[in-house]
Amino acid sequence: MRYLKIAARAIAAATIATAVAACTSSGINDPLPRMSREDAEEWTAHWIDSLAHTAGGEIDEDTKKINFRDCLGKNDELAEDGRFEHTYSARVVLPPEQRAQAVVDIRDTLVEKGFEVQSYRSDPTKRPANLLDTWHPEDRQSVTAEDFTENENHLLLVVSTPCLLPPNVEQQQF
């Protein structure tokens, strides 16, 4: 039964990712990708779980943070059609000596999935010592992994969606 749930989550995540990738937008009135808040939260939760597994750690359930916010346009336009962006973060319990390799493993996995590395470092003289910022050019989601400096046994993971439009809503034009 557990494997069926895992397979169902993987299929749902792939379907959502395909829908987002198919609707990328470059012009102000180009169609936005459509997704409900519930599906966006499920999608980002799947990414956080997968990244935690790749890192070799367990999510500290008390550290999960879910944030929805209105999308702002290039000239600070605020639409009234319900479009939103979503960020999901959580901390992974991971000893300091394992975090550099965990960030490398996450980086390599994301690059295989088409993400572009925006910044990366592993330098114990800096804070945070281990840092990775990535972005996917097709579906425009971003993923960050970094040492959580306020707790030496945590790695912070953050997944952010692009601007999404709820299903069955007419997209406002500017």
Side-chain angles (χ1 to χ4, degrees):
M1 186 67 164
R2 180 173 177 233
Y3 295 108
L4 291 175
K5 287 182 181 178
I6 292 170
R9 287 177 81 190
I11 291 168
T15 302
I16 292 167
T18 301
V20 170
C23 297
T24 58
S25 174
S26 58
I28 192 167
N29 288 314
D30 288 351
L32 291 171
R34 292 184 178 268
M35 188 180 302
S36 70
R37 288 178 181 247
E38 294 80 17
D39 287 344
E41 187 173 329
E42 182 178 317
W43 183 41
T44 55
H46 168 76
W47 272 102
I48 292 287
D49 290 343
S50 178
L51 294 167
H53 177 75
T54 299
E58 296 291 325
I59 293 174
D60 179 342
E61 295 294 326
D62 294 334
T63 67
K64 289 182 177 179
K65 292 187 179 170
I66 299 163
N67 183 29
F68 288 94
R69 63 196 167 283
D70 294 333
C71 297
L72 284 179
K74 186 176 183 178
N75 298 311
D76 292 332
E77 306 95 353
L78 184 59
E80 296 177 7
D81 56 11
R83 62 184 76 179
F84 64 93
E85 295 174 316
H86 172 56
T87 301
Y88 193 117
S89 66
R91 291 182 239 154
V92 176
V93 179
L94 204 61
E97 63 273 7
Q98 294 178 8
R99 290 199 304 259
Q101 185 60 51
V103 172
V104 167
D105 292 344
I106 290 171
R107 180 194 66 196
D108 293 348
T109 297
L110 291 174
V111 167
E112 286 176 14
K113 295 185 180 302
F115 282 77
E116 295 176 354
V117 175
Q118 303 299 299
S119 63
Y120 165 77
R121 81 164 166 246
S122 182
D123 182 349
T125 66
K126 305 225 186 236
R127 286 191 79 167
N130 298 292
L131 171 67
L132 173 67
D133 284 315
T134 64
W135 182 75
H136 197 284
E138 291 175 17
D139 67 19
R140 299 183 329 246
Q141 78 178 47
S142 65
V143 175
T144 298
E146 67 180 53
D147 291 326
F148 190 72
T149 55
E150 295 169 26
N151 184 324
E152 290 198 16
N153 291 315
H154 281 165
L155 179 71
L156 176 65
L157 300 174
V158 181
V159 176
S160 298
T161 70
C163 188
L164 301 170
L165 188 66
N168 303 318
V169 172
E170 186 173 332
Q171 182 173 331
Q172 182 177 346
Q173 302 294 300
F174 290 97

